[in-house]
C-alpha cells in the first residue's frame, strides 16, 4: 500500500455493495474500427491532442480510465465518426473550457472537478467556462454519482489533465522563443520567461501547442499543496446564477419540439400485473392522446407492468389517471406487513441469529464476568428518498435511436439496460446528462428512464414522463428498516470489554440470502475493532418491498444504533462521553491498511476533540437543555458532531445548534463542502424527527408530505462546520456528515430528559417537534 497520504487510492466499495459498482459498469459498445487501445496505465496515449478548432487552438481530450481511444473532431461535429470526451479546450480567442464528467446532484462536482484541472493548469477561475459533459461509456468509463466516490476516484487523473496541458503550453512558448522549457513558468494563464522578460498568453500559444507531442504523464510534475491558489477556497457553484434565474437545467425543464406528456400507473402492491383497464374511457378524457398497457420484465428495479397515459399536458395526464380503473393480478405481488415485522422482531432477536457474522475473543465469558452490563433493543423504519423533484425523464425515439434526457446518478448503467428493454443496440441509446433535483441514492436506480423509453418506443414524438408525488412515495427504493438487540459489558475500570449484537434485516431472496441494498453490516464498524470480546449475529427475513441505497447507505441507520448504545455504556460507566470515545480509540493508528476506507484512530480523536471544543462541550446549560456528541466513520470521512437541544415539559424537542467537525483530507471547495455538511444535518434531522414508511399487504401507506413531513426552515438549527486541514488526499462529502447526527441529537435528549430513545422516528416515543 502506498504510504504517501497524497497518493491516489480509489476508495473501495465499503458502504455501497459491490453490486452497485458492477451494475454501473458501462455496457460494451463496438469500438470505432480506427481506434487504438489505451495502455492499462495512464500514459501519453491516454490523451488525444486535437487541432483544427474554430480559429485554431488546443484541445486535450482526457480519458479517465483505460478504454478505446476515438478519433474526434474538435469542432464539435456530432457525426458518428467521432466521440467527444472529457476535454480541456483553449482557443485562440482566449476561451478556456473545462468539462465536468459526473452527474451533478447538488454535491458540487460540476464546480469542483474543473477546479482541480484549473489549479494544475494555472488559469484564473474567472477565465474558465464549465460545461457538463455528455454521456459516453466508451470514452469516459463510469460516470456516476454515488457513495461519495467521485472525488477520490478522479483526483489524480484530473490533476494530470491540467498539468499535461500546462506543460504543452510551456513547451510551445519555449520552442517559439528558442529557450529551454525549464526556464519558463506559467501563471494566471500566461507563460513567462524571466531571463528575457518575454511572455505569452495561453490563447497566443494554443495553436502552436496543438502541434506538439503529448508528454508522458509520469514526467509532468504536479503542484505541491502549499502552492495551491484555487483549491481550498470558497468558490460559488457554477450553476448558481442559472438556478436562481430559472434556467432549464433539470429534467422537468426539457421541452423538445413536438413533445407530448405522459404518466405511468403501476400496481400499489409491488410486482402486481395488469389484468384489465378501462382504456377506452381514459382515452376520452380531455387532452388525452392515447393510453395503453405496457408489459414489464418483472424486475422491481427495471420495468414493471403499468398503464401509460399520453396527453397534451402533464395536468391532463394526471387528471386522466384519476379516471383510470385497473384490475390488478396480485398473486405474485408483495404481501409484506411492517406491523407484522415489528411484532416478530422482538422474539426473533431474543433468540440466536441464523448466522454469526463476526466473532473475536469470548463474549459469553467476558459478559458473565463484566463489572457492569447494559442491554437494549433498537428499531428504525423504512424511509423514502423524498426528492423534491419527482421522478421524470424525457425520451424521443427517432431514426432508429432512443434519445433520452435523464436526471440520473448512473447514466451508463441506465443506458445499457434501457437498450436491452427497448431492444436496441447500446450505441443507439443516447443519454443527455441533466442536473438532478435531489438524488440521495434514489436516482442510482433508473426505473423512470426505462418506463419512458418503453413508452417512447410506441409514440411518434418526444415524450416527457412525470410521476406524481404520490407515485414517487409509493414506488421508491426505500432505506431498509431494521432491528438490533444489543448487550455490552464494562470492566472494573469502566472500559468496554464485551459486545453482542443480533441484527435482524431483510433479504430479497436468492441462494445466498444476501441483505437488501443498504441492509448489510460490515465488520470494521467502530467500535468493533476495539472490542476484545465480540459476537455479532444476523437473521434475515424475506422481503418483497424494493430497497435501495439511501444517503450514507447502511451507516445512515447503523450509526444511530451503535453510537447511541455506546452512550448508554459510557453513562453506565459514569464517564464523560467524549472521554469515553477517545479512550476507546486507543493509540493513534490505522485499523487496517493505510487506506482511506479504513478508520484512522488519530484522525477520529482529532475530530472528536475539535467538535467538543467548538461545541462548548462541558459548559453548563439551562435546565431542560442537553448536549450530545457522537462520532462515525463512513465513506472515508471521519466525522464527529455535537448537538444542543432543549425539551419542554410537553416533550417538544428543539435542536438549537449542531457543530460538525470532519476530516476528509484536502477540501477542494469550502463552499461546496459546507453545503454538503449542512445538508446532511438537515437531511438527518428531517428523517429522525418524523419520517417513516409503513406498508401493509405489500403497499406503502404514506402518500405525500402531509403524512411524510419534511423538516421546515423554522425547525432548522444553527450549524457550524469545521473541517480539519490534513495532508491526506481528498475524499467525498455527500455522505459522511450524516451518520453522527441522529446519535448526537438522541444523546443530547437523554442528557436533557433522562429518556433514552431506542425507536425511530422520535415521535414513536412521544416526542414532538
Amino acid at each position: 500500500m502506498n504510504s504517501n497520504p497524497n497518493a491516489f487510492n480509489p476508495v473501495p466499495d465499503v458502504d455501497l455493495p459491490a453490486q452497485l459498482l458492477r451494475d454501473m459498469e458501462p455496457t460494451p459498445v463496438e469500438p470505432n474500427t480506427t481506434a487504438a487501445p489505451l495502455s492499462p496505465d495512464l500514459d501519453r496515449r491516454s490523451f488525444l491532442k486535437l487541432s483544427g478548432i474554430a480559429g485554431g487552438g488546443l484541445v486535450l481530450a482526457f480519458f479517465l480510465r483505460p478504454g478505446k481511444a476515438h478519433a474526434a473532431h474538435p469542432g464539435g461535429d456530432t457525426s458518428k465518426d467521432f466521440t467527444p470526451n472529457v476535454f480541456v479546450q483553449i482557443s485562440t480567442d482566449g476561451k478556456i473550457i473545462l468539462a465536468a464528467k459526473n452527474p451533478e446532484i447538488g454535491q458540487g462536482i460540476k464546480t469542483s472537478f474543473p477546479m482541480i484541472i484549473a489549479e494544475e493548469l494555472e488559469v484564473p477561475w474567472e477565465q474558465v467556462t464549465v460545461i457538463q459533459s455528455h454521456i459516453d461509456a466508451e470514452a469516459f468509463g463510469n460516470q456516476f454519482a454515488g457513495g461519495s466516490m467521485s472525488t477520490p476516484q478522479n483526483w489524480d487523473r484530473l490533476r494530470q489533465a491540467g498539468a499535461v496541458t500546462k506543460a504543452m503550453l510551456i513547451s510551445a512558448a519555449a520552442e517559439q522563443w528558442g529557450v529551454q522549457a525549464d526556464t519558463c513558468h506559467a501563471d494566471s494563464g500566461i507563460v513567462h520567461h524571466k531571463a528575457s522578460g518575454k511572455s505569452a498568453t495561453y490563447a497566443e500559444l494554443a495553436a502552436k501547442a496543438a502541434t506538439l507531442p503529448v508528454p508522458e504523464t509520469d514526467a509532468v510534475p504536479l503542484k505541491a499543496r502549499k502552492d495551491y491558489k484555487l483549491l481550498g477556497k470558497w468558490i460559488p457553484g457554477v450553476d448558481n446564477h442559472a438556478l436562481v434565474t430559472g434556467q432549464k437545467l433539470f429534467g422537468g425543464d426539457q421541452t423538445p419540439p413536438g413533445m407530448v406528456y405522459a404518466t405511468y400507473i403501476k400496481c400499489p402492491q409491488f410486482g402486481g400485473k395488469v389484468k384489465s383497464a378501462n382504456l377506452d374511457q381514459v382515452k376520452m378524457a380531455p387532452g388525452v392522446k392515447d393510453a395503453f398497457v405496457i408489459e414489464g420484465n418483472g424486475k422491481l428495479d427495471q420495468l414493471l407492468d403499468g398503464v401509460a397515459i399520453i396527453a397534451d399536458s402533464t395536468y391532463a395526464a394526471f387528471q386522466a389517471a384519476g379516471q383510470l380503473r385497473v384490475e390488478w393480478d396480485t398473486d405474485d405481488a408483495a404481501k409484506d406487513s411492517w406491523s407484522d415485522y415489528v411484532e416478530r422482531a422482538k422474539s426473533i432477536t431474543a433468540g440466536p441469529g441464523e448466522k454469526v457474522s463476526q466473532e473475536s475473543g469470548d463474549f459469553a465469558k467476558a459478559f458473565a464476568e463484566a463489572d457492569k452490563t447494559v442491554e437494549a433493543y433498537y428499531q428504525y423504519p423504512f424511509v423514502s428518498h423524498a426528492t423534491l423533484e419527482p421522478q421524470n425523464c424525457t425520451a424521443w425515439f427517432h431514426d432508429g435511436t432512443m434519445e433520452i434526457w435523464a436526471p440520473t446518478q448512473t447514466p451508463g448503467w441506465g443506458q445499457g439496460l434501457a437498450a436491452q428493454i427497448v431492444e436496441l443496440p447500446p450505441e443507439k441509446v443516447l443519454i443527455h446528462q441533466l442536473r438532478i433535483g435531489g438524488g440521495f441514492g434514489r436516482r442510482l436506480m433508473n426505473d423512470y428512464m426505462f418506463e419512458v423509453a418503453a413508452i417512447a418506443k410506441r409514440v411518434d414524438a418526444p415524450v416527457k414522463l412525470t410521476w406524481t408525488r404520490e407515485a414517487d412515495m409509493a414506488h421508491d427504493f426505500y432505506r431498509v428498516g431494521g432491528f438490533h438487540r444489543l448487550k455490552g459489558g464494562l470492566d472494573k475500570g469502566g472500559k468496554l470489554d464485551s459486545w453482542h449484537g443480533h441484527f435482524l434485516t431483510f433479504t430479497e431472496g436468492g441462494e445466498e440470502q444476501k441483505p437488501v441494498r443498504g441492509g448489510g453490516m460490515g465488520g470494521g464498524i467502530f467500535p468493533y475493532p476495539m472490542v476484545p470480546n465480540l459476537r455479532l449475529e444476523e437473521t434475515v427475513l424475506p422481503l418483497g418491498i424494493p430497497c435501495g441505497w439511501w444517503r450514507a447507505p447502511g451507516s445512515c441507520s447503523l450509526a444511530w444504533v451503535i453510537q447511541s448504545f455506546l452512550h448508554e455504556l459510557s453513562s453506565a460507566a459514569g464517564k464523560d462521553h467524549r472521554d469515553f470515545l477517545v479512550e476507546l480509540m486507543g493509540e493513534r493508528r490505522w485499523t487496517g491498511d493505510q487506506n482511506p476506507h479504513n478508520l484512522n484512530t488519530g484522525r477520529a480523536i482529532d475530530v472528536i476533540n475539535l467538535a467538543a471544543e467548538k461545541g462548548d462541550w462541558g459548559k453548563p446549560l439551562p435546565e431542560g437543555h442537553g448536549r450530545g456528541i457522537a462520532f462515525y466513520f463512513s465513506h472515508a470521512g471521519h466525522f464527529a458532531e455535537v448537538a444542543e437541544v432543549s425539551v419542554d415539559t410537553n416533550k417538544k424537542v428543539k435542536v438549537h445548534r449542531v457543530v460538525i467537525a470532519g476530516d476528509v483530507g484536502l477540501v477542494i471547495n469550502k463552499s461546496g463542502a459546507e453545503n454538503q455538511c449542512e445538508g446532511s444535518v438537515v437531511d438527518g434531522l428531517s428523517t429522525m424527527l418524523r419520517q417513516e414508511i409503513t406498508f401493509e399487504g405489500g403497499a406503502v401507506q404514506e402518500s405525500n408530505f402531509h403524512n411524510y413531513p419534511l423538516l421546515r426552515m423554522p425547525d432548522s438549527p444553527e450549524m457550524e462546520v469545521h473541517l480539519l486541514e490534513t495532508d491526506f488526499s481528498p475524499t467525498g462529502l455527500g455522505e459522511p456528515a450524516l451518520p453522527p447526527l441522529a446519535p448526537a441529537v438522541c444523546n443530547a435528549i437523554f442528557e436533557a430528559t433522562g429518556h433514552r430513545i431506542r425507536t425511530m422516528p422520535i415521535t414513536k416515543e412521544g416526542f414532538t417537534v
Side-chain angles (χ1 to χ4, degrees):
M1 186 59 61
N2 194 327
S3 61
N4 178 5
N6 291 313
F8 167 67
N9 290 310
V11 178
D13 181 36
V14 178
D15 299 284
L16 292 180
Q19 176 192 349
L20 174 56
L21 290 180
R22 292 196 299 271
D23 287 346
M24 292 188 293
E25 281 297 319
T27 300
V29 179
E30 285 298 316
N32 188 304
T33 55
T34 62
L38 291 177
S39 164
D41 299 317
L42 188 64
D43 58 18
R44 67 187 183 87
R45 289 174 292 172
S46 299
F47 294 87
L48 289 182
K49 177 174 58 64
L50 308 172
S51 60
I53 63 174
L58 173 68
V59 175
L60 283 183
F62 177 62
F63 286 81
L64 291 178
R65 75 167 201 165
K68 297 290 184 179
H70 291 263
H73 188 292
D77 182 10
T78 57
S79 73
K80 63 182 180 181
D81 296 328
F82 78 102
T83 304
N85 302 284
V86 175
F87 59 89
V88 178
Q89 177 176 317
I90 302 173
S91 62
T92 54
D93 62 3
K95 291 181 180 178
I96 299 174
I97 300 174
L98 305 180
K101 101 184 217 308
N102 281 19
E104 175 58 61
I105 52 175
Q107 85 281 41
I109 214 74
K110 189 176 177 181
T111 303
S112 61
F113 270 19
M115 284 176 65
I116 298 170
I117 300 172
E119 180 67 70
E120 292 288 347
L121 185 55
E122 290 284 8
V123 292
W125 185 245
E126 57 270 17
Q127 292 183 15
V128 170
T129 297
V130 175
I131 61 171
Q132 185 75 61
S133 76
H134 68 293
I135 298 301
D136 188 331
E138 188 69 13
F140 294 115
N142 285 329
Q143 290 174 272
F144 69 93
S148 293
M149 291 186 282
S150 294
T151 296
Q153 287 187 342
N154 293 289
W155 164 240
D156 274 357
R157 297 170 180 180
L158 292 174
R159 288 195 295 161
Q160 289 167 338
V164 167
T165 308
K166 178 180 67 179
M168 294 181 68
L169 291 160
I170 290 175
S171 294
E175 187 171 313
Q176 184 171 300
W177 299 330
V179 300
Q180 293 296 312
D182 60 5
T183 65
C184 303
H185 73 279
D187 183 52
S188 299
I190 301 172
V191 178
H192 301 272
H193 183 246
K194 186 176 181 179
S196 66
K198 292 181 179 180
S199 64
T201 66
Y202 284 1
E204 293 168 336
L205 296 168
K208 177 67 176 176
T211 68
L212 301 179
V214 180
E216 297 282 352
T217 56
D218 289 344
V220 177
L222 299 174
K223 292 176 68 172
R225 190 170 296 188
K226 65 180 177 59
D227 297 325
Y228 286 168
K229 302 170 184 175
L230 180 62
L231 300 186
K233 295 187 181 299
W234 282 267
I235 303 298
V238 296
D239 281 344
N240 283 4
H241 182 266
L243 288 168
V244 299
T245 55
Q247 296 183 35
K248 296 183 178 182
L249 302 176
F250 299 97
D253 297 326
Q254 307 311 303
T255 54
M259 185 181 76
V260 296
Y261 302 80
T263 194
Y264 192 61
I265 298 87
K266 293 174 285 191
C267 181
Q269 288 178 248
F270 290 96
K273 299 179 180 180
V274 178
K275 273 188 177 181
S276 63
N278 60 335
L279 298 181
D280 291 339
Q281 180 181 344
V282 171
K283 291 177 183 179
M284 296 173 62
V288 172
K289 296 177 176 290
D290 200 1
F292 48 83
V293 173
I294 290 180
E295 183 177 348
N297 63 6
K299 296 183 179 180
L300 292 176
D301 58 359
Q302 294 183 24
L303 182 64
L304 294 176
D305 272 34
V307 176
I309 299 176
I310 316 300
D312 58 14
S313 70
T314 297
Y315 178 78
F318 285 176
Q319 290 297 106
Q323 301 181 30
L324 179 67
R325 300 292 179 268
V326 182
E327 183 183 0
W328 300 102
D329 178 356
T330 59
D331 287 349
D332 297 323
K335 305 294 195 303
D336 304 83
S337 165
W338 175 243
S339 60
D340 179 60
Y341 290 138
V342 169
E343 183 64 28
R344 293 168 59 194
K346 292 179 181 179
S347 59
I348 291 174
T349 57
E354 293 176 339
K355 69 173 185 178
V356 177
S357 57
Q358 188 175 349
E359 187 168 26
S360 60
D362 188 339
F363 166 78
K365 181 176 183 294
F367 189 74
E369 296 175 355
D371 184 65
K372 293 180 180 178
T373 62
V374 179
E375 300 187 29
Y377 177 77
Y378 285 80
Q379 77 173 51
Y380 48 87
F382 287 66
V383 296
S384 171
H385 293 87
T387 59
L388 289 186
E389 177 193 29
Q391 309 315 308
N392 69 90
C393 198
T394 299
W396 182 20
F397 183 59
H398 62 96
D399 304 316
T401 295
M402 183 66 70
E403 192 171 1
I404 300 176
W405 292 261
T408 170
Q409 294 179 242
T410 52
W413 176 46
Q415 180 186 39
L417 281 177
Q420 294 179 20
I421 287 169
V422 296
E423 299 180 335
L424 290 174
E427 63 269 23
K428 291 296 184 180
V429 176
L430 173 64
I431 306 291
H432 296 284
Q433 188 170 192
L434 305 176
R435 189 179 178 100
I436 301 170
F440 317 116
R442 172 59 179 91
R443 287 179 165 98
L444 291 168
M445 318 305 291
N446 289 293
D447 46 331
Y448 50 91
M449 184 193 300
F450 308 144
E451 290 170 4
V452 75
I455 294 169
K457 193 78 181 289
R458 297 176 59 168
V459 178
D460 189 22
V463 181
K464 180 192 290 183
L465 171 69
T466 306
W467 289 19
T468 63
R469 174 61 61 191
E470 288 77 10
D472 198 54
M473 197 74 70
H475 290 282
D476 201 345
F477 293 85
Y478 308 95
R479 187 202 75 180
V480 63
F483 309 88
H484 296 254
R485 192 171 294 278
L486 303 173
K487 298 177 182 179
L490 301 163
D491 65 16
K492 292 183 178 179
K495 291 185 178 181
L496 178 59
D497 184 60
S498 57
W499 182 294
H500 175 271
H502 185 175
F503 177 30
L504 176 61
T505 185
F506 297 90
T507 176
E508 291 178 356
E511 291 184 5
E512 297 183 16
Q513 294 288 294
K514 291 183 178 180
V516 297
R517 300 180 184 98
M521 182 163 58
I525 295 173
F526 173 75
Y528 298 159
M530 292 77 176
V531 181
N533 300 286
L534 176 74
R535 181 179 175 88
L536 302 178
E537 301 178 29
E538 186 177 292
T539 298
V540 295
L541 295 177
L543 183 72
I545 305 296
C547 296
W549 298 286
W550 194 93
R551 192 172 192 171
S555 304
C556 57
S557 45
L558 296 176
W560 169 66
V561 173
I562 295 168
Q563 303 310 311
S564 293
F565 190 60
L566 275 179
H567 190 250
E568 294 202 48
L569 290 162
S570 69
S571 298
K575 292 186 176 183
D576 175 274
H577 192 54
R578 188 270 304 268
D579 296 342
F580 186 80
L581 292 174
V582 170
E583 180 184 58
L584 193 54
M585 292 294 173
E587 64 181 8
R588 292 173 176 264
R589 70 193 191 283
W590 293 90
T591 56
D593 291 336
Q594 185 173 329
N595 222 332
H597 67 284
N598 286 327
L599 170 70
N600 180 296
T601 60
R603 299 174 79 179
I605 290 168
D606 289 342
V607 298
I608 291 169
N609 286 332
L610 179 61
E613 174 194 345
K614 299 298 184 180
D616 298 326
W617 188 255
K619 292 185 179 180
L621 286 169
E623 185 177 352
H625 288 242
R627 287 194 190 95
I629 189 170
F631 165 82
Y632 205 72
F633 172 75
S634 74
H635 295 80
H638 297 75
F639 273 83
E641 294 172 17
V642 171
E644 182 181 327
V645 310
S646 65
V647 185
D648 68 16
T649 55
N650 295 316
K651 299 184 75 173
K652 183 175 182 179
V653 175
K654 173 68 177 178
V655 181
H656 297 276
R657 182 180 180 221
V658 176
V659 174
I660 307 112
D663 181 357
V664 290
L666 172 70
V667 177
I668 293 173
N669 182 2
K670 289 185 177 178
S671 175
E674 289 188 356
N675 176 59
Q676 286 298 288
C677 291
E678 292 172 357
S680 292
V681 168
V682 170
D683 223 2
L685 275 178
S686 190
T687 304
M688 68 171 291
L689 296 179
R690 290 181 288 189
Q691 292 178 357
E692 65 173 332
I693 288 292
T694 61
F695 42 85
E696 299 297 334
V700 169
Q701 303 301 291
E702 289 69 31
S703 60
N704 210 316
F705 294 139
H706 70 285
N707 55 6
Y708 192 85
L710 302 183
L711 189 74
R712 301 294 179 144
M713 288 184 184
D715 298 322
S716 297
E718 174 189 343
M719 289 174 274
E720 297 176 23
V721 179
H722 302 276
L723 297 174
L724 289 171
E725 298 284 349
T726 60
D727 292 332
F728 298 95
S729 294
T731 52
L733 265 169
E735 271 92 1
L738 185 143
L741 185 279
V745 172
C746 287
N747 293 347
I749 291 173
F750 177 82
E751 294 296 331
T753 67
H755 183 112
R756 180 68 65 184
I757 295 175
R758 298 193 182 107
T759 304
M760 285 290 181
I762 67 171
T763 51
K764 304 296 282 188
E765 297 204 12
F767 290 92
T768 62
V769 181

